[in-house]
Amino acid sequence: MSKSQKTIIACGGMKAEFERLNPADNGIEMHYMPQNLHRVPDTLRKKLQETIDRVAEDTETIILGYGLCCNGVVGLKAPEQGLIVPKVHDCIALYMGSTEKYRNMFSQNPGTYHLTRNWMDNKKDPLGLVEHEYKRRLGAEDARETMEWEIKNYSHISYINTGTGRTEQYRNRALENARQFNKQFMEISGDDAFFRKIVHGPWDKKNFVHIKPHEISKQEYFLK
Amino acid sequence: MSYDLGKITETLIQGKVDRLTELTQEAIDSNAEPAKILNEGLLPGMDNVGEKWKNGEMFMPEVLRCAKAMSKSMDILRPRLTEGELGSAGTLVIGTVAGDLHDIGKDLVGMMFEGAGYKVINIGIDQPNENFVNAAIEHKPDVLGMSALLTTTMPRMGEVVNSLKEAGIRDQITVMVGGAPVTEEYAQEIGADLYGANASTAVDVTREYFAKAKN
């Protein structure tokens, strides 16, 4: 078997956004990891390292579809060919298209709880979490109250519209979250510019961290 | 009436908010020392919760319930803890840095320090750098604690350390930092004195630090 040119190991949460760019048609191999591993960064790191080590023999370039993600990528050891990682804090910058856009949005409204289609599809929006996780663990009454407490300091709930899937349905779901938890709703236009860069390059140093062969990824690379 | 501190610990671990409030009140009514309720009832419970969270035996919603239960119980105890109890060990000023709205962990740290005999001045969330410096000048705390839950807001902590230097008071204050994305290495890099990996550890490392300083 000949080596593939590029392999992207990405969070499953962004599958729709990557697949829209038809990576397979460009000879790119995609590996999607379970969504939500950022909540258990030690597990994320372990699973990422396993996947990296496994694919390393059969590909020339490995790019991660991850950012710093709660330090989940800190401590990864780059394989023979090195490792390319988007220089972002988390997926929000990827959905928005650039770090600058995320930063501007953040400075205007730091108290924004962002929702994308994947969070809603996987019932990880506040309403979904209450219904499918918190109720089971805490009972109906406490479930709702706990979520209200958890997100009490947020002023806004946003829908980042990446233009994939049934956007009207996602917008309504995000609106319903905002209404029920008494937050202001806003819609943010997604931009696939960063996804394109991950898939097609160039992996410029401004937007990507290049970890040298056999070196360990450090948090500071993402903060500079 | 009697009270059972073991029951308080257990109820806290179960995250039963209303029941814990009742038990705390009952213990007070039975003349239990508020400091004893805190140190022998609540804190061992919270340590256990922290341990279970770290080991993956407890999940976010349960931990949130426990934190809330602890917080409600402390609301009853706090006004009853005498001046001598709160402040005998020192003063802690604590807050969450600018742009960051997370407070559950920070508040827990505050409660742990109250348990350890500190007077805690909680300046709140989303606090501009100058507010930390001003609070440090005003309250002259032994420890200044900063919390950040986002890698985007972490750099504010280093900026505050620099502002303390500029204000000429850096040497008079022990700076502690914490929050999920903060690491020991990062704490050292920005010039903090102490790193609290979690709420209970925060108290432990502070105790060790001052014990060493005395020797």
Side-chain angles (χ1 to χ4, degrees):
Chain A
M1 210 175 84
S2 67
K3 277 190 178 185
S4 69
Q5 243 187 331
K6 292 185 230 171
T7 297
I8 297 174
I9 304 169
C11 172
M14 298 181 288
K15 188 170 181 180
E17 285 70 27
F18 276 113
E19 287 305 312
R20 195 161 65 158
L21 303 174
N22 302 314
D25 296 350
N26 293 288
I28 299 166
E29 221 171 282
M30 297 297 300
H31 286 263
Y32 294 107
M33 311 280 288
Q35 194 179 351
N36 236 13
L37 287 177
H38 70 278
R39 284 184 86 146
V40 276
D42 292 342
T43 311
L44 171 58
R45 185 178 310 113
K46 187 166 162 272
K47 286 190 187 271
L48 269 177
Q49 189 71 61
E50 282 166 10
T51 311
I52 290 165
D53 295 344
R54 199 174 65 236
V55 305
E57 282 182 18
D58 303 318
T59 193
E60 286 172 16
T61 309
I62 302 176
I63 311 124
L64 295 188
Y66 278 93
L68 192 46
C69 298
C70 301
N71 292 329
V73 304
V74 173
L76 286 175
K77 188 174 184 210
E80 191 70 46
Q81 56 270 65
L83 192 61
I84 301 169
V85 191
K87 196 174 177 176
V88 294
H89 289 272
D90 52 45
C91 56
I92 306 295
L94 301 182
Y95 288 120
M96 289 187 185
S98 75
T99 306
E100 288 75 23
K101 191 171 171 186
Y102 182 24
R103 204 177 289 144
N104 290 339
M105 197 70 68
F106 188 79
S107 60
Q108 282 166 28
N109 285 307
T112 306
Y113 194 111
H114 295 292
L115 293 174
T116 64
R117 59 164 291 179
N118 270 289
W119 291 101
M120 295 186 266
D121 278 343
N122 290 294
K123 319 282 187 220
K124 298 293 182 194
D125 55 319
L127 283 174
L129 283 168
V130 166
E131 203 55 43
H132 297 275
E133 189 181 338
Y134 286 25
K135 269 188 183 173
R136 176 167 49 88
R137 294 184 177 279
L138 307 172
E141 197 182 321
D142 286 354
R144 178 67 184 228
E145 193 198 78
T146 303
M147 181 54 75
E148 282 169 6
W149 196 60
E150 185 177 348
I151 63 173
K152 64 184 183 301
N153 296 333
Y154 288 91
S155 56
H156 291 71
I157 286 184
S158 90
Y159 165 44
I160 305 179
N161 185 349
T162 61
T164 62
R166 300 173 299 262
T167 54
E168 189 58 37
Q169 193 182 315
Y170 298 126
R171 179 181 299 116
N172 287 335
R173 176 75 178 181
L175 260 166
E176 187 57 17
N177 269 283
R179 196 186 64 77
Q180 289 209 27
F181 290 99
N182 204 19
K183 311 288 177 194
Q184 288 183 60
F185 172 78
M186 65 174 174
E187 181 161 333
I188 297 168
S189 300
D191 181 335
D192 66 0
F194 218 127
F195 288 108
R196 285 182 181 281
K197 272 188 208 156
I198 295 172
V199 173
H200 300 297
W203 305 300
D204 57 288
K205 293 265 168 82
K206 179 174 168 269
N207 288 299
F208 292 87
V209 171
H210 292 248
I211 303 160
K212 294 189 182 110
H214 311 298
E215 276 195 7
I216 305 280
S217 168
K218 288 185 182 167
Q219 187 188 51
E220 63 186 75
Y221 301 161
F222 294 82
L223 303 178
K224 273 178 198 158
Chain B
M1 279 178 86
S2 66
Y3 62 89
D4 179 354
L5 294 176
K7 186 80 190 157
I8 285 183
T9 307
E10 192 187 314
T11 308
L12 173 59
I13 296 167
Q14 290 165 346
K16 293 180 179 168
V17 180
D18 295 339
R19 183 75 190 120
L20 186 69
T21 309
E22 281 168 23
L23 287 172
T24 307
Q25 190 58 54
E26 276 172 31
I28 294 275
D29 294 344
S30 309
N31 296 322
E33 292 281 332
K36 195 171 170 179
I37 303 174
L38 177 53
N39 285 311
E40 294 173 31
L42 298 177
L43 294 187
M46 221 50 227
D47 281 344
N48 187 287
V49 171
E51 198 63 25
K52 285 191 162 141
W53 162 251
K54 208 171 72 188
N55 298 337
E57 293 167 52
M58 221 182 219
F59 295 87
M60 186 59 104
E62 287 98 335
V63 174
L64 287 169
R65 288 312 288 174
C66 300
K68 186 163 188 182
M70 170 91 182
S71 162
K72 291 271 177 195
S73 183
M74 272 307 286
D75 288 345
I76 300 173
L77 294 180
R78 195 174 290 110
R80 293 177 169 85
L81 289 163
T82 59
E83 272 298 308
E85 281 160 350
L86 281 183
S88 59
T91 301
L92 166 76
V93 164
I94 190 167
T96 307
V97 297
D100 203 315
L101 307 167
H102 296 87
D103 59 4
I104 294 169
K106 167 198 53 99
D107 290 349
L108 274 179
V109 171
M111 290 184 254
M112 291 295 191
F113 272 81
E114 285 175 316
Y118 275 77
K119 179 179 173 191
V120 175
I121 295 151
N122 192 333
I123 62 171
I125 55 170
D126 191 14
Q127 291 296 313
N129 297 352
E130 61 266 29
N131 288 13
F132 282 95
V133 179
N134 292 338
I137 292 168
E138 188 189 338
H139 302 289
K140 299 187 173 52
D142 302 273
V143 183
L144 177 70
M146 287 182 274
S147 168
L149 263 286
L150 302 167
T151 48
T152 44
T153 57
M154 268 187 347
R156 302 294 85 73
M157 302 193 299
E159 293 165 13
V160 172
V161 173
N162 289 336
S163 300
L164 292 170
K165 282 181 198 157
E166 283 162 21
I169 53 171
R170 176 65 188 90
D171 299 345
Q172 299 154 34
I173 293 171
T174 300
V175 175
M176 162 176 274
V177 295
V182 183
T183 60
E184 176 101 58
E185 198 180 11
Y186 187 75
Q188 280 175 9
E189 195 185 304
I190 62 166
D193 302 300
L194 297 170
Y195 162 65
N198 57 57
S200 343
T201 318
V203 171
D204 294 342
V205 297
T206 306
R207 277 195 182 126
E208 278 167 31
Y209 180 82
F210 285 119
K212 260 189 208 161
K214 267 184 196 167
N215 292 332

